[in-house]
Amino acid sequence: MPLDVTGLGLDALAARVRAWLEDHLPAHWRDAALTGDRHALAAIARDDAVTRAWYAELGDSGLATAGWPVEHGGLGLAADGVAVVADELARLHAGRPMSDFVGVALAGPTIVEWGTDEQKRRFLRPLALGEHRWCQLFSEPGAGSDLAALTTRATRCADGDWVVDGQKVWSSFSDRADYGLLMARTDPGRAKHRGITYFLLDMRSPGVEVRPLRQLNGQSEFGEVFLTDVMVPDTDRLGRENQGWAVAMTTLAQERSGLSGRPGVGPGRADALAARARDTGAWDDPLLRDRILRAFVAERVLQMTTVRAFADLGRREPGAEGSIRKLAHGTLDATLGLLATEVEPGGAVAHDPADGDAEAALDAFLSGKILSIAGGTSEIQRNIIGERVLGLPRDRDPYADVPFAERPRG
Amino acid sequence: MPLDVTGLGLDALAARVRAWLEDHLPAHWRDAALTGDRHALAAIARDDAVTRAWYAELGDSGLATAGWPVEHGGLGLAADGVAVVADELARLHAGRPMSDFVGVALAGPTIVEWGTDEQKRRFLRPLALGEHRWCQLFSEPGAGSDLAALTTRATRCADGDWVVDGQKVWSSFSDRADYGLLMARTDPGRAKHRGITYFLLDMRSPGVEVRPLRQLNGQSEFGEVFLTDVMVPDTDRLGRENQGWAVAMTTLAQERSGLSGRPGVGPGRADALAARARDTGAWDDPLLRDRILRAFVAERVLQMTTVRAFADLGRREPGAEGSIRKLAHGTLDATLGLLATEVEPGGAVAHDPADGDAEAALDAFLSGKILSIAGGTSEIQRNIIGERVLGLPRDRDPYADVPFAERPRG
Amino acid sequence: MSADPFRWTPEHEEFRAVLRKLTESRTPLACAPAPASADQRERELWRAWADELGLPGLVVPESHGGAGFSRLELAIAAEELGRAVAGGPLFASAVLATEALLATGPDAAAAEILPALAGGTSVAALAVVEESHRWAAADVRTRVGDGRLTGVKHAVLGAADADVLVVAAREDAGVSLFLVEPGTGVEIVPLAVLDPSRPAARVDLTGAPARRIGVAGEGWPAVERALEAGAVFLAAEQVGGSRALLDAAVEHANTRVQFGRPVGQFQGVKHRLADMAVRTELAAAAATWAAWQEPGTDTARLGAAVARAHCADAYLETALDAIGVHGGMAITWEHHAHRYLRRARADLAVLPGPAEQRRLLETMIGTGV
Amino acid sequence: MSADPFRWTPEHEEFRAVLRKLTESRTPLACAPAPASADQRERELWRAWADELGLPGLVVPESHGGAGFSRLELAIAAEELGRAVAGGPLFASAVLATEALLATGPDAAAAEILPALAGGTSVAALAVVEESHRWAAADVRTRVGDGRLTGVKHAVLGAADADVLVVAAREDAGVSLFLVEPGTGVEIVPLAVLDPSRPAARVDLTGAPARRIGVAGEGWPAVERALEAGAVFLAAEQVGGSRALLDAAVEHANTRVQFGRPVGQFQGVKHRLADMAVRTELAAAAATWAAWQEPGTDTARLGAAVARAHCADAYLETALDAIGVHGGMAITWEHHAHRYLRRARADLAVLPGPAEQRRLLETMIGTGV
């Protein structure tokens, strides 16, 4: 039963959400969040029964998908309202986990915009209730930044359904996903952007194999997905045949905007870094202290920019401006990662294996570079800013209009 | 009478040059240099009679043009030997002034390589003796980094001589020059690099007008040169008709290499900056101190690189590697310029008009950016390094092979 | 903090449009005068700002003859003036001196002169910094005796044009503020400046008659309040300057052809412009956020310091980048780029700069603000 | 300084070629083992280096069983090993510990073990740093009593593999060096390391029997000499690493096609590679110049500090840039890039880093060196 938030200003909306959470969130969850008890929160996150019940209740209220239209189980809020809801949920650690980002932030809006009535019925409600997990199947080993150069093939069968073959990569949480947002080439006789179709792939289909990809920090958030003679019914096509690139644009705009966080100006990673530096004595070094303060300034400025972006957006959709925040975020993440090690004794490079602070610092350092590559490299973001925000001339692929099959291979 | 330096090692060469200077340099000049008396040196520089006589004697000895072949009045030394000579001359402030750089470092080697016997006879000896001053007439308002897009026209008359019309810019010391290294388009029906011819222009010719160009720091080192119906005899053509681009390559390679200074590792601008910072108290700021030390490291590293470049060069000609030093030099110059202001009280931004230190600091700041533009922007240097040093694919002008006259205009 | 994020209103946008039209029509970028010849134009512009828009009294309460607006309107004005590197006494008089006066209560002496300042018929200058060039109470050595001031004030912005000086001086109770009029015991020695659009002078006080404003020994908080407002003003001004530079550089990149294509198509130029845009958008967000805070609060102090720390460095980098994009033309005297470069460098020193702001933030980081 | 500039000789070039062949054949970049499984390969490589090329004794005088070469040959070895991020005890034993021993005279105790170290049949480790993680004489708190050492040494490179430890400890006369063999009173606790190619351990000394080397209280100059040699070695090693990264990134940029052309044609990539090349060429010049100076002289100290300050930062930047050029593939565990990134970051901390070197240079700037 969706919460009624019609006509509320942002402050009133915040109050309404807070009151609802007060009434509905299990008390032990609320207490763990408010006391900042990390162990209790981790235990809750691992307790499937509790989380499943909560995400169902949250989804039913419309708060998990506050930006979706009311008729699809959302609250019909603009970006600023969505941000307010996200803030309230974050305060109690009550929102959907990061692994649901692809589903809630990307798959949902894309299906809302492009889906058939039947697709909306099939996918949106389970997504809102936390019943389906999604992953994104866009990138390929041979088509990194140049997404549209993808070679995964979808061939139409006599009955109108499709057989898909190819390989995808950089697919977050693909090992746990129920469905995947898939782009595949359906007409190599057309130019590269014009022969792609977008599908909603059932990850349980025979022929889908997921292999985790180990990152430089030793963790495996991404997967490689191998597709071998995978049958996809035509009813799982999203948008029209060979017009998948337009559908993907919706997904990508959401992704750029969504990766850069919730609005709000307040203590962040740099504050924590300063606290740690005071503990280890690193704060006494004026050069290091100044670098931490530079990061502090950069983090607050990015927060202020995010606040403004949400305010500016109002009812508009996220656009190329998201690239500005993504670029700044990537730089900041790398800086904070390096600083994290520098405040540890000996730079954390040789430490007691049980020293959790040192381990976390090294992970922050090694992960720091990932954000400026995943979700579009910094070079690609600069192209987007230059071309779509500033209106500079595009540097076109010389084979952009050549049939895909006739392009030279690199 | 050229000095005999046959078979000398570099240390012996240095000793020989030092002894010769001891015998020949006027005593008051030598004393001014050794005591570091700036006022006396400035007075000497202004005394035409003294400098003219000295440059003639220096030229006669071959030391002013130590890298030229012996038959043209040089000493036939390789780059390392030339550097040793330059060091000894610099020690006594006895070398040719910066305004002779184009003549000695660019015009000379280009004429040696491409000149007819008659041109070598006419130009090389006066150049060596300091009788001719030269400027470079390559850049145009419409063709900055893209030098080969020049539109200054040289049209052949019936008698085989040429009439030149057009406008040049960024010509250092052009107001004082006797001759100019001129590139002009002689066949617009050919592709842009293939219709250019190289001339040795008499700057006293009717139709040559020079207007000083005021720089952002208020000084006028450069000029604009307007060419209106200027007659140039065909005997002043350097190299073959329409093959001027190849001739220009010789000049440009010398320029890139020459701009980055003489080899030697020792006290430089950063040392002077540290001394000044100690005087003003700026040295007490650990952040500023560290930035000065970074500049110190960068300056010493650049010196070490120049030493190595000269050693590596041996008898080879300067090449694309010069771009590496030019790029580093541009960055360092900008850094030192900013730091120069920061060590002054109040950043020198508001100061007693009689405060020479503040004025010099502001000039260093404003001039700091010039080096990364003059003589090829940093972007162009990066292209040269990427393409000619690292062998990356060139990003070709799409109209490179189109007749020049048929290119679209911007 | 309220969940309702700040939004510019239609009135704000209109104010901005009027200001831009007025400012651009008088100091168009394309034919901007060389700084040294700008005096006459700037005087005319100042009259127009005062008479048509009431800029000098923008943040002065209506009860003291001003318009009673907030720092948001001030930030709009700053941004538009910054676009044109406009000179005139707005920053020195209407921001620094006026804010210091307002912060004294305003007390009776301040209240007496505020209407003329708000109306732009009189201008003031704030004289604080001395030989050390530091904005620090401990460094104020100008002494008071018998109602007369003796000391030397350095780099006082707008001093030569000022009808009245607001001077920080030390008495037994601490640092107080005083009103001093040019005349007996006051020598104003113009200084050479990097940025000719912001003239500065040394003020030699040799027994200059002075009236104390505010409570004895409580002058420094008023200086700090002026610094907070000044930081917000400069940040917004720098956003305006950055935007003007970015616009002109984008225009150049779209039209200048090299190697057979507009230079903006080359990633070397395109990515540099993108970096300028990123820096500038972040600067705009920070300046606006800072202007949006209630003056004198913890978040206002934080916002001002953060905005000034980011915007000042961003502006200098952008000015240098712009020269890189324009290439040779930008290193000539006639091109607009060096006016911005001069302003950007000078801005680092006219108030406590980014390094000092970060030092200030040492006390705020990790405190929950 | 002599006017005759340094030039590599044909013998140097041959030594380099042999080393590269040997190192690349054992640890080719393309199929480099994951760091953790590299142990066996590295032991084999160490034997080959020792037996075929005499690397462990490169700078040990012939009278003590070494090859008697200079730091130039050591720099060549470092560069080639750095190309492959090769592990093994060369840096810890043949550079740090051996240089410290040589700097004691070598005295009789040192001379006794040098032939085995030079032959590579025995390896040593230098244990200096304690809880503060600083290379400072004042921070050495390990005490001597009755010929036994008590204290804790942190982050000792190569300690777990060492046959003998060279330990700095404090006695009444000051800091001295001691030889300690693993065994009674010595506990070696392996640490988790960012760069698995350079294992480190904590060494807990609880009354460990020790023999003093050199004069009592004069141990620190020997440590400084080891630091000078170590700085030169690391700088050269980092040049090798930077060059390997640059070569691989150029190769990638020439072959990887995106948007219809090799990515190296885009200035975004091309200029980044150019910046990597600039940094690396400057690093190579600095490392060579430093290696060329007479050890222990003012110019050697200057060269080592300048080279280490430049090369360490340059290497880290280049490792990060290389990841940017390779894009997604470079953030996987299998790709070579993170081995260089780990090494580059760890290198900042294994000896006094760039910030400490600049602090050291404070005493040299402006002194005419």
Side-chain angles (χ1 to χ4, degrees), chain B residues 10-11 80 265 267 271 274 278 289-290 293-294 296 300-301 304-305 308 311 382-383 387 393-395, chain D residues 2-7 250 254 265 267 270-271 273 275 281-282 285 289 302 306 358 362 365-366 368-369:
Chain B
L10 294 180
D11 284 331
D80 49 1
V265 176
D271 296 81
R278 286 186 171 114
R289 200 163 65 226
D290 190 61
L293 289 164
R294 283 175 185 272
F296 171 76
R300 292 300 170 102
V301 169
M304 294 167 186
T305 306
R308 202 181 70 135
R382 287 192 179 92
N383 279 347
E387 294 164 9
R394 300 189 62 159
D395 194 9
Chain D
S2 161
D4 262 314
F6 166 73
R7 281 197 183 80
V250 166
N254 273 323
Q265 196 173 318
Q267 288 187 343
K270 183 179 287 179
H271 290 183
L273 290 168
D275 286 339
E281 283 311 298
L282 295 175
W289 196 90
L302 176 93
V306 165
R358 287 193 296 273
E362 281 181 17
I365 190 171
V369 178

Side-chain angles (χ1 to χ4, degrees), chain D residues 21-175:
Chain D
K21 201 165 156 221
L22 181 64
T23 309
E24 280 188 352
S25 69
R26 309 259 176 164
T27 57
L29 195 60
C31 59
S37 70
D39 282 12
Q40 178 55 25
R41 280 187 191 238
E42 278 173 0
R43 265 191 292 273
E44 287 169 18
L45 194 56
W46 173 249
R47 290 300 342 144
W49 284 336
D51 298 346
E52 296 170 32
L53 294 168
L55 291 199
L58 212 54
V59 296
V60 176
E62 291 176 78
S63 53
H64 295 283
F69 283 124
S70 79
R71 285 186 182 165
L72 284 165
E73 287 77 14
L74 189 69
I76 292 174
E79 187 177 332
E80 293 308 315
L81 269 54
R83 284 187 77 88
V85 202
L90 194 78
F91 177 53
S93 176
V95 180
L96 296 182
T98 298
E99 284 271 358
L101 291 174
L102 287 171
T104 63
D107 89 337
E112 205 174 287
I113 64 167
L114 275 169
L117 295 181
T121 54
S122 172
V123 296
L126 180 66
V128 177
V129 162
E130 304 192 0
E131 200 186 354
S132 72
H133 283 263
R134 296 199 319 140
W135 291 81
D139 290 19
V140 172
R141 290 174 191 181
T142 294
R143 300 286 317 186
V144 194
D146 272 348
R148 293 170 183 272
L149 302 188
T150 299
V152 180
K153 295 291 177 180
H154 281 258
V156 181
L157 288 183
D161 292 326
D163 301 297
V164 60
L165 300 166
V166 180
V167 181
R170 178 168 303 284
E171 43 189 347
D172 292 342
V175 173

Side-chain angles (χ1 to χ4, degrees), chain A residues 10-11 80 265 267 271 274 278 289-290 293-294 296 300-301 304-305 308 311 382-383 387 393-395, chain C residues 2-7 250 254 265 267 270-271 273 275 281-282 285 289 302 306 358 362 365-366 368-369:
Chain A
L10 295 181
D11 283 333
D80 50 0
V265 176
D271 296 81
R278 285 186 172 115
R289 200 162 66 225
D290 189 62
L293 288 163
R294 283 175 185 273
F296 172 76
R300 292 300 171 103
V301 169
M304 294 167 186
T305 306
R308 203 181 68 134
R382 288 193 178 93
N383 279 347
E387 293 164 10
R394 299 189 62 160
D395 194 9
Chain C
S2 161
D4 261 315
F6 166 73
R7 279 197 186 82
V250 166
N254 272 323
Q265 196 173 316
Q267 289 186 344
K270 184 180 287 178
H271 290 183
L273 290 167
D275 286 339
E281 284 311 297
L282 296 173
W289 197 88
L302 176 92
V306 164
R358 288 193 297 272
E362 282 182 16
I365 191 171
V369 179

Side-chain angles (χ1 to χ4, degrees), chain A residues 9-12 14 80 84 88 264-267 270-272 274-275 278 283 289-294 296-298 300-302 304-308 310-314 323-325 327-328 378-383 385-387 389-396, chain C residues 1-8 243 246 249-250 253-254 261-267 269-275 277-279 281-290 292 302-303 305-307 309-310 313 354-355 358-359 361-369:
Chain A
L10 295 181
D11 283 333
D80 50 0
V84 166
E88 293 302 326
V265 176
D271 296 81
R278 285 186 172 115
W283 190 250
R289 200 162 66 225
D290 189 62
R291 288 170 55 213
I292 293 171
L293 288 163
R294 283 175 185 273
F296 172 76
V297 167
R300 292 300 171 103
V301 169
L302 183 55
M304 294 167 186
T305 306
T306 304
V307 165
R308 203 181 68 134
F310 276 86
D312 283 356
L313 276 174
S323 293
I324 289 179
R325 283 179 293 127
L327 200 53
S378 292
E379 268 72 28
I380 292 293
Q381 305 306 330
R382 288 193 178 93
N383 279 347
I385 294 165
E387 293 164 10
V389 179
L390 301 178
L392 296 168
R394 299 189 62 160
D395 194 9
R396 300 218 348 131
Chain C
M1 195 188 97
S2 161
D4 261 315
F6 166 73
R7 279 197 186 82
W8 295 112
R243 285 194 162 145
L246 182 58
V250 166
N254 272 323
R261 63 192 83 169
V263 297
Q265 196 173 316
F266 292 106
Q267 289 186 344
V269 172
K270 184 180 287 178
H271 290 183
R272 199 200 282 245
L273 290 167
D275 286 339
V278 170
R279 237 181 264 136
E281 284 311 297
L282 296 173
T288 304
W289 197 88
W292 180 39
L302 176 92
V306 164
H310 175 84
D313 283 342
R358 288 193 297 272
R359 221 167 289 139
L361 288 168
E362 282 182 16
T363 59
M364 297 193 217
I365 191 171
T367 61
V369 179

Side-chain angles (χ1 to χ4, degrees), chain C residues 144-207:
Chain C
V144 194
D146 273 348
R148 292 170 184 273
L149 303 188
T150 300
V152 180
K153 293 292 178 180
H154 280 259
V156 181
L157 287 183
D161 292 326
D163 302 298
V164 61
L165 301 166
V166 180
V167 182
R170 178 169 303 283
E171 43 189 348
D172 291 343
V175 173
S176 310
L177 291 184
F178 295 85
L179 289 178
V180 173
E181 286 177 21
T184 318
V186 179
E187 193 185 1
I188 294 186
V189 185
L191 299 174
V193 289
L194 172 62
D195 172 14
S197 70
R198 275 217 249 271
R202 200 181 72 225
V203 178
D204 293 346
L205 300 164
T206 47

Side-chain angles (χ1 to χ4, degrees), chain D residues 187-274:
Chain D
E187 193 185 359
I188 294 184
V189 184
L191 299 173
V193 288
L194 171 62
D195 172 15
S197 69
R198 275 217 251 268
R202 202 181 72 224
V203 177
D204 294 345
L205 301 163
T206 46
R211 288 169 67 189
R212 187 194 302 112
I213 40 175
V215 180
E218 294 183 12
W220 196 254
V223 171
E224 286 186 332
R225 186 67 168 267
L227 289 179
E228 183 186 296
V232 173
F233 184 91
L234 281 183
E237 211 187 42
Q238 290 165 336
V239 169
S242 296
R243 286 194 162 145
L245 285 165
L246 182 59
D247 290 350
V250 166
E251 163 81 15
H252 174 81
N254 273 323
T255 49
R256 170 79 165 174
V257 173
Q258 297 265 280
F259 302 104
R261 63 192 84 170
V263 297
Q265 196 173 318
F266 292 106
Q267 288 187 343
V269 173
K270 183 179 287 179
H271 290 183
R272 199 201 281 245
L273 290 168

